[in-house]
Amino acid sequence: MGQCIAAGFADFGDQMASMAHIEQQQVGETPLAMLWARLGARLRDVAESVTARWCAFDFATDLAEDIGTPPWCRGLAVMIGCGALALACWPGIPVLDAPSPMRLDATARELARIQTVKPLALGADIGQRMGPTLHVTPMAFAPERPTIEMTATLVEGDSLTGMLGRAGVGNDDIVRVQVAIAGAVSPDDIAPGTRFDLTLGRHDVAGTPRPLDRLAFRARFDLDLVVQRVGGGFAVVRHALPVDATPLRIRGVAGTSLYHSARAAGAPMKAIQQFLAAIDAHLSLDDVRAGDTFDMVVAYKRAAGGESEVGDLLYAGIESSGHAKSQLLRWGGEGQFFDASDMAEQRSSQALIMPVAGARITSGFGMRFHPILGFSRMHSGTDLAAPWGSPIYAVADGVVVFVGPHGGHGNYVRLEHGGGTGTGYGHMSRFAVSSGMRVRAGQVIGYVGSTGLSTGPHLHYEVFRNGVSVDPMSMHFTVRNGVDKKELAAFKARLAGLMQVKPGAALGPIGAATGQIASRASAIAHP
């Protein structure tokens, strides 16, 4: 603003000086021309002075510094003045007269409520109903739906009877449906989680349960059942589903952790657990080095609808430098793993057999100071430290003569092998055999625990000769690895069939012909 005033003074002075110059040229130097010249010069001086003062004036004073000084007071005054000027220029807010609200009666208020936007859960409406006219005839009762379609799920611990009853099926229909289903599959074998699609028909009599017209569900992995009402009974329609039973083969290179390497290769968790247990029981996981190749074959099924089912581990192998270090095949009705090289060799030998794979001896046979009782006494066996739950194997063929608690031995198993030789296994966490059962060498009879007088998970292993305890480390059992020719041929055929499965073949397209799928599955079927 000051600069504008100074500029105005300067322009006015220049104009007066120009007028004086023109008058001097026309008339000569006269007192009036001299007056105009002096006045113009004076105005230019005033303009320069005002400009200098205006430029030197600090309008934006920092009020946080030099508090109380004249510049600070000037800045405060400028701020207050500007604020007062702004308030003085503030436009007024006139009062607008609005019409008074009109009172709404009940009908108008309900109409306004219906037209509001509100969630249905909070009481909103979907429109206004039209009032009845003379053409509207009152109904004695509302018509019912001709059919009701619903889905019910059989949960864990539930029964087919209870599930159908909660769905609204009558007792007579439930009994007839169970009889019809039992002709195809046992109702007790239906897996929990199975979904049932039900169709209920129209009531025969008011107040009675609706009749069941149709029931469809997956009875097995390869079978769909549809139960339909036919006359006064039910008929079962079977729909066999094509299933590809090609086993799932997974190969990979072991790293620093065999478990993580198998997980990275995509192996199922259940298969990895069985694989590690089988390898550790026959080879020891410490013998598996980084760079070795692991090979596993898992029972696997796929239905045409896209469902899949992972079964047990069928084969476990470890290869080192291109040579098989261990080839374990699940064989026999008990599902034990046997090494292919041992099964193929027809030989007998005397060997020291350890009942727990990879265990270390913590206490030997003889006198020792008991860590719990606090005094020295005879230790009639050998203690083998192993992780909790490790499988315990029979050292030779025999008969189970005792299973149960046995004093300080805790859970105990006693085997008789003939010829006056017997073995005992103590401190088990749980049993895998029962009294009177015949067992084979290498069969799991229990699992490592810490029951009885025990300071930690381990196996108390003892050997008896004619009822007298002897040092287990001095006993060598006769190991016969050979089997009869027919069983050996079946074992080799089974192993060869699994080795022909290509890695990832089970994840390819499902075969178009059901017969081809069935023949492929039977070629590697369990004996």
Side-chain angles (χ1 to χ4, degrees), residues 300-368:
Y300 190 73
K301 293 181 180 180
R302 288 186 303 156
E307 301 86 353
S308 61
E309 183 178 81
V310 179
D312 291 328
L313 180 71
L314 304 178
Y315 170 81
I318 296 293
E319 299 177 8
S320 180
S321 301
H323 300 283
K325 184 183 292 187
S326 179
Q327 288 183 308
L328 305 177
L329 179 66
R330 187 184 292 273
W331 187 255
E334 298 174 355
Q336 299 294 318
F337 282 91
F338 295 89
D339 195 293
S341 60
D342 292 340
M343 289 285 288
E345 296 179 2
Q346 300 285 340
R347 60 184 176 84
S348 298
S349 63
Q350 291 284 331
L352 175 63
I353 307 300
M354 299 296 284
V356 179
R360 58 184 178 88
I361 299 176
T362 57
S363 182
F365 180 86
M367 293 295 296
R368 68 159 187 176

Side-chain angles (χ1 to χ4, degrees), residues 154 158-165 174 177-178 181 187 190 196 215:
L154 183 65
D158 199 359
S159 63
L160 182 61
T161 301
M163 185 269 295
L164 292 176
I174 292 177
V177 165
Q178 286 185 322
I181 293 177
I190 300 176
F196 292 78
L215 176 69

Side-chain angles (χ1 to χ4, degrees), residues 463-475:
V463 178
F464 306 94
R465 175 64 64 88
N466 297 323
V468 180
S469 298
V470 297
D471 186 0
M473 298 297 100
S474 65
M475 289 294 297

Side-chain angles (χ1 to χ4, degrees), residues 136-219:
V136 176
T137 303
M139 298 180 60
F141 58 89
E144 65 176 10
R145 296 171 58 184
T147 59
I148 295 180
E149 296 180 355
M150 66 178 67
T151 299
T153 302
L154 183 65
V155 299
E156 185 73 34
D158 199 359
S159 63
L160 182 61
T161 301
M163 185 269 295
L164 292 176
R166 288 191 300 273
V169 182
N171 293 330
D172 294 340
D173 284 350
I174 292 177
V175 174
R176 288 196 290 267
V177 165
Q178 286 185 322
V179 172
I181 293 177
V185 62
S186 174
D188 296 334
D189 294 338
I190 300 176
T194 302
R195 298 181 59 184
F196 292 78
D197 296 327
L198 297 90
T199 302
L200 302 180
R202 191 187 299 272
H203 286 286
D204 294 332
V205 179
T208 61
R210 287 175 176 265
L212 179 64
D213 288 347
R214 186 177 184 273
L215 176 69
F217 66 100
R218 174 69 62 86

Side-chain angles (χ1 to χ4, degrees), residues 74-121:
R74 185 175 62 248
L76 179 62
V78 171
M79 184 188 69
I80 295 174
C82 292
L85 180 61
L87 292 176
C89 297
W90 189 271
I93 302 178
V95 178
L96 300 178
D97 294 332
S100 59
M102 184 175 60
R103 293 185 177 274
L104 299 178
D105 56 10
T107 303
R109 187 179 297 107
E110 179 66 13
L111 181 61
R113 186 191 67 81
I114 292 174
Q115 295 176 351
T116 58
V117 178
K118 191 177 182 181
L120 292 174

Side-chain angles (χ1 to χ4, degrees), residues 20 23-24 28-40:
E23 187 174 353
Q24 287 178 0
E29 291 188 3
T30 62
L32 182 59
M34 296 175 61
L35 177 60
W36 285 116
R38 287 196 299 268
L39 184 58

Side-chain angles (χ1 to χ4, degrees), residues 188-441:
D188 296 334
D189 294 338
I190 300 176
T194 302
R195 298 181 59 184
F196 292 78
D197 296 327
L198 297 90
T199 302
L200 302 180
R202 191 187 299 272
H203 286 286
D204 294 332
V205 179
T208 61
R210 287 175 176 265
L212 179 64
D213 288 347
R214 186 177 184 273
L215 176 69
F217 66 100
R218 174 69 62 86
R220 291 197 309 265
F221 187 78
D222 58 348
L223 179 63
D224 275 346
L225 289 184
V226 178
V227 182
Q228 295 179 337
R229 179 177 293 274
V230 178
F234 291 95
V236 178
V237 180
R238 306 187 185 194
H239 297 284
L241 301 176
V243 174
D244 186 354
T246 302
L248 177 62
R249 186 175 185 181
I250 301 172
R251 289 175 59 88
V253 178
T256 55
S257 170
L258 182 57
Y259 168 81
H260 288 100
S261 300
R263 288 291 291 167
M269 180 66 70
K270 177 182 176 181
I272 295 176
Q273 294 174 348
Q274 296 179 356
F275 180 84
L276 296 178
I279 294 298
D280 188 54
H282 293 80
L283 182 64
S284 178
L285 294 176
D286 296 334
D287 296 334
V288 181
R289 308 297 181 186
D292 290 352
T293 300
F294 63 87
D295 190 1
M296 67 176 70
V297 180
V298 185
Y300 190 73
K301 293 181 180 180
R302 288 186 303 156
E307 301 86 353
S308 61
E309 183 178 81
V310 179
D312 291 328
L313 180 71
L314 304 178
Y315 170 81
I318 296 293
E319 299 177 8
S320 180
S321 301
H323 300 283
K325 184 183 292 187
S326 179
Q327 288 183 308
L328 305 177
L329 179 66
R330 187 184 292 273
W331 187 255
E334 298 174 355
Q336 299 294 318
F337 282 91
F338 295 89
D339 195 293
S341 60
D342 292 340
M343 289 285 288
E345 296 179 2
Q346 300 285 340
R347 60 184 176 84
S348 298
S349 63
Q350 291 284 331
L352 175 63
I353 307 300
M354 299 296 284
V356 179
R360 58 184 178 88
I361 299 176
T362 57
S363 182
F365 180 86
M367 293 295 296
R368 68 159 187 176
F369 182 81
H370 198 283
I372 296 179
L373 299 179
F375 57 86
S376 296
R377 72 171 187 174
M378 182 65 182
H379 187 229
S380 60
T382 299
D383 288 344
L384 304 173
W388 186 288
S390 299
I392 301 171
Y393 304 95
V395 296
D397 297 347
V399 179
V400 181
V401 296
F402 180 83
V403 176
H406 192 260
H409 292 151
N411 293 333
Y412 185 82
V413 172
R414 174 77 178 266
L415 304 180
E416 288 294 338
H417 306 285
T421 302
T423 55
Y425 311 82
H427 304 304
M428 291 185 177
S429 61
R430 55 192 178 98
F431 305 113
V433 293
S434 57
S435 183
M437 182 177 176
R438 297 194 64 86
V439 296
R440 297 175 58 183

